[in-house]
Amino acid sequence: MNRAILALASTLGLMAAFAGEIRADDHGMVSPNGVRTLAPEGAIQPTGTWNLGTRAGDYVFVAGMRGIDPATNTLVPDAEARIRQAFMNMKLIAESEGASLQDAVRIVVYVTDMYRYRPLVNKVQEELWGSGPYPPRTIVEVDRLNQDDIFEVEGTFYAPME
């Protein structure tokens, strides 16, 4: 056998060996170590090979959320409204696991123009978190985001298991 056939046979063997390892429960798919994927009702629909979030023990990890309207699965047109919608999309996923925005242990924000969008991010965070305390945040200016978007936010939340 040539190397390509051996590699394919090895890959297929591994896939077959692990095929039964991931199982489903009422909330999503669960890995062998108990990491559960999240797809709450009312959330946006993933557009590729990613999930909206996962629960691993007492922590909820939310994927990068953009200002997509879950009703239409399209971007909200206005910049400030889009940023707010992205935070609301993240909030929905966190709340589906019993966490609130105040339970955020870290958020990461990506903007395509720091000068233009950072003040809007701060304004929306003040609206959503009130006078604080605010979670630790990293904000990074990037050259480009998916679908030429202007903003994306991801978060990690503490939500103790019952």
Side-chain angles (χ1 to χ4, degrees):
M1 276 193 216
N2 69 30
R3 288 183 186 203
I5 293 173
L6 284 173
L8 178 60
S10 175
T11 300
L12 290 174
L14 284 172
M15 288 172 63
F18 289 110
E21 294 294 322
I22 298 193
R23 63 190 191 284
D25 70 4
D26 292 340
H27 303 285
M29 301 304 290
V30 181
S31 79
N33 288 324
V35 175
R36 183 167 35 88
T37 61
L38 307 174
E41 190 173 320
I44 65 167
Q45 297 299 310
T47 56
T49 56
W50 59 282
N51 280 295
L52 301 176
T54 56
R55 174 182 270 282
D58 289 341
Y59 291 90
V60 175
F61 300 89
V62 179
M65 290 290 117
R66 296 182 301 121
I68 296 171
D69 178 350
T72 62
N73 233 37
T74 59
L75 289 170
V76 172
D78 175 70
E80 185 176 330
R82 186 181 298 182
I83 290 167
R84 185 175 294 102
Q85 183 64 57
F87 274 107
M88 297 308 288
N89 290 341
M90 181 178 69
K91 179 180 180 228
L92 175 87
I93 296 161
E95 286 179 344
S96 77
E97 291 297 308
S100 70
L101 288 177
Q102 285 68 32
D103 295 313
V105 294
R106 181 170 193 262
I107 61 173
V108 180
V109 170
Y110 305 92
V111 293
T112 56
D113 185 331
M114 188 73 74
Y115 178 77
R116 204 166 149 198
Y117 300 124
R118 184 176 174 271
L120 295 177
V121 171
N122 290 340
K123 179 180 178 184
V124 170
Q125 271 200 264
E126 278 185 46
E127 290 173 11
L128 296 174
W129 270 267
S131 60
Y134 301 107
R137 179 184 85 185
T138 300
I139 186 167
V140 180
E141 182 174 313
V142 296
D143 183 51
R144 194 166 188 195
L145 291 166
N146 193 23
Q147 297 178 316
D148 291 322
D149 206 347
I150 60 168
F151 174 85
E152 189 166 321
V153 61
E154 63 183 64
T156 303
F157 296 83
Y158 182 67
M161 302 279 292
E162 294 180 21

